[in-house]
């Protein structure tokens, strides 16, 4: 079995981080702790590595992974534009459990799957994840579980599901302990996903496409209720990392919300 490195032990932290950086550079997969759930990470700019991530989870290209970033400057580099309400949201909730879907920079040379020109971005509130991100750059990160299974909140749970498909496991202790589990299923500490792509149109609104650890009420306190679409209008979870579907379109490739983290990630 792939080794698990305990980040609370300095020698294991140094070794684990070094091996994780090397694995990401070689296009391999790494499991990392985040503030919400554990994430399965790959180099966001390595199409083969992203395909390997989807294969390990048992997912299709119709369910592209979110991207974890080390800070707000990277948000501006990856998004085509960042509307002012989104800047207020990230100022309030980053680093933390909020994932934001925006139009991606068209010049980016990556292939995350069928994103329809969008990207889901999050800055996690976890020291180990941020340290790794600062050295590797943006990482495609989905929840560290098999598709359809509950998200892993420990490295051991991730290892049980993903096994040797992962090159390095970083153990940062239990994830999600800093949040109230108010997600879509009991015990769910996944990030809240907000689709902000509609803000680029006149009269556009934000849509909460997955309820997670950041409540609708807290989001409304920052941007105002008038900027939030009614809950019944939010698209399905399958669209969380793609553009909102056209009216009446199917949400193909959906899986239970509790097993998908933009890690939240992020998912994560």
């Amino acid at each position: 079995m792939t080794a698990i490195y305990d980040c609370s032990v300095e020698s294991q932290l140094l070794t684990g981080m070094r091996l994780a950086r090397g694995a990401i550079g070689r296009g391999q997969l790494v499991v990392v702790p985040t503030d919400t759930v554990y994430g399965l990470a790959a180099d966001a700019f390595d199409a083969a590595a992203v395909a390997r991530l989807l294969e390990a989870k048992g997912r299709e290209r119709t369910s592209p992974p979110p991207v974890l970033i080390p800070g707000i400057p990277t948000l501006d580099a990856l998004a085509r534009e960042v509307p002012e309400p989104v800047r207020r949201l990230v100022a309030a909730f980053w680093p933390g459990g909020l994932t934001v879907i925006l139009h991606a920079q068209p010049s980016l040379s990556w292939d995350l799957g069928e994103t329809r020109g969008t990207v889901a971005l999050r800055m996690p509130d976890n020291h180990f994840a941020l340290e790794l991100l600062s050295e590797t750059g943006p990482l495609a990160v989905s929840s560290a579980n098999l598709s359809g299974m509950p998200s892993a909140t420990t490295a051991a749970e991730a290892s049980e599901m993903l096994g040797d498909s992962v090159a390095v496991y970083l153990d940062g202790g239990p994830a999600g302990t800093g949040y109230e589990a108010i997600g879509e299923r009991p015990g769910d500490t996944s990030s809240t996903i907000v689709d902000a792509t509609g803000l680029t149109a006149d009269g556009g609104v934000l849509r909460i496409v997955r309820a997670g650890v950041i409540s609708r009420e807290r989001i409304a306190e920052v941007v105002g209720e008038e900027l939030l679409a009614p809950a019944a209008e939010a698209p399905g979870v399958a669209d969380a990392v793609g553009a909102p579907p056209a009216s009446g379109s199917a949400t193909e490739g959906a899986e239970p919300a509790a097993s998908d983290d933009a890690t939240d990630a992020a998912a994560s």
Side-chain angles (χ1 to χ4, degrees):
M1 290 289 291
T2 304
I4 298 176
Y5 294 89
D6 185 347
C7 293
S8 67
V9 178
E10 185 175 3
S11 60
Q12 292 194 40
L13 170 62
L14 293 173
T15 300
M17 282 290 186
R18 175 176 56 80
L19 294 176
R21 292 193 300 270
I24 293 293
R26 293 190 297 274
Q28 296 175 305
L29 306 181
V30 173
V31 161
V32 297
T34 81
D35 50 320
T36 54
V37 299
Y38 272 71
L40 179 64
D43 183 350
F45 293 95
D46 184 333
V50 174
R52 194 169 294 119
L53 183 157
L54 295 174
E55 181 181 4
K57 281 181 61 75
R59 299 180 69 176
E60 303 294 331
R61 284 176 52 82
T62 51
S63 298
V67 174
L68 294 190
I69 60 177
I72 291 176
T74 311
L75 170 70
D76 289 298
L78 299 183
R80 190 177 72 197
E81 56 187 307
V82 183
E84 190 273 337
V86 172
R87 294 199 182 277
R88 281 186 273 153
L89 285 174
V90 299
F93 299 119
W94 279 13
L98 182 73
T99 299
V100 182
I101 303 171
L102 294 163
H103 294 291
Q105 286 279 9
S107 60
L108 292 173
S109 58
W110 62 9
D111 181 6
L112 298 172
E114 296 178 17
T115 65
R116 288 170 281 179
T118 67
V119 61
L121 299 169
R122 185 167 89 87
M123 179 185 179
D125 190 8
N126 179 277
H127 171 74
F128 304 119
L130 289 174
E131 181 179 341
L132 185 62
L133 286 163
S134 70
E135 298 182 359
T136 63
L139 294 174
V141 181
S142 188
S143 52
N145 58 277
L146 295 176
S147 183
M149 298 294 289
S151 300
T153 57
T154 68
E157 290 175 356
S159 178
E160 288 175 6
M161 287 185 276
L162 298 171
D164 290 337
S165 65
V166 174
V168 178
Y169 288 88
L170 298 177
D171 183 356
T177 57
Y179 295 107
E180 182 182 357
I182 58 173
E184 296 180 349
R185 289 190 354 183
D188 181 13
T189 58
S190 296
S191 70
T192 295
I193 303 176
V194 174
D195 182 355
T197 58
L199 290 178
T200 57
D202 289 340
V205 294
L206 292 159
R207 300 180 187 275
I208 297 176
V209 298
R210 184 177 70 194
V213 295
I214 306 298
S215 68
R216 179 187 179 92
E217 291 72 24
R218 293 182 66 194
I219 293 172
E221 288 174 359
V222 175
V223 299
E225 186 65 38
E226 66 278 4
L227 265 186
L228 283 176
E233 293 184 16
V237 172
D239 299 294
V241 289
S247 177
S249 65
T251 53
E252 297 178 356
E255 63 174 281
S259 67
D260 183 287
D261 180 39
T263 99
D264 4 41
S268 33

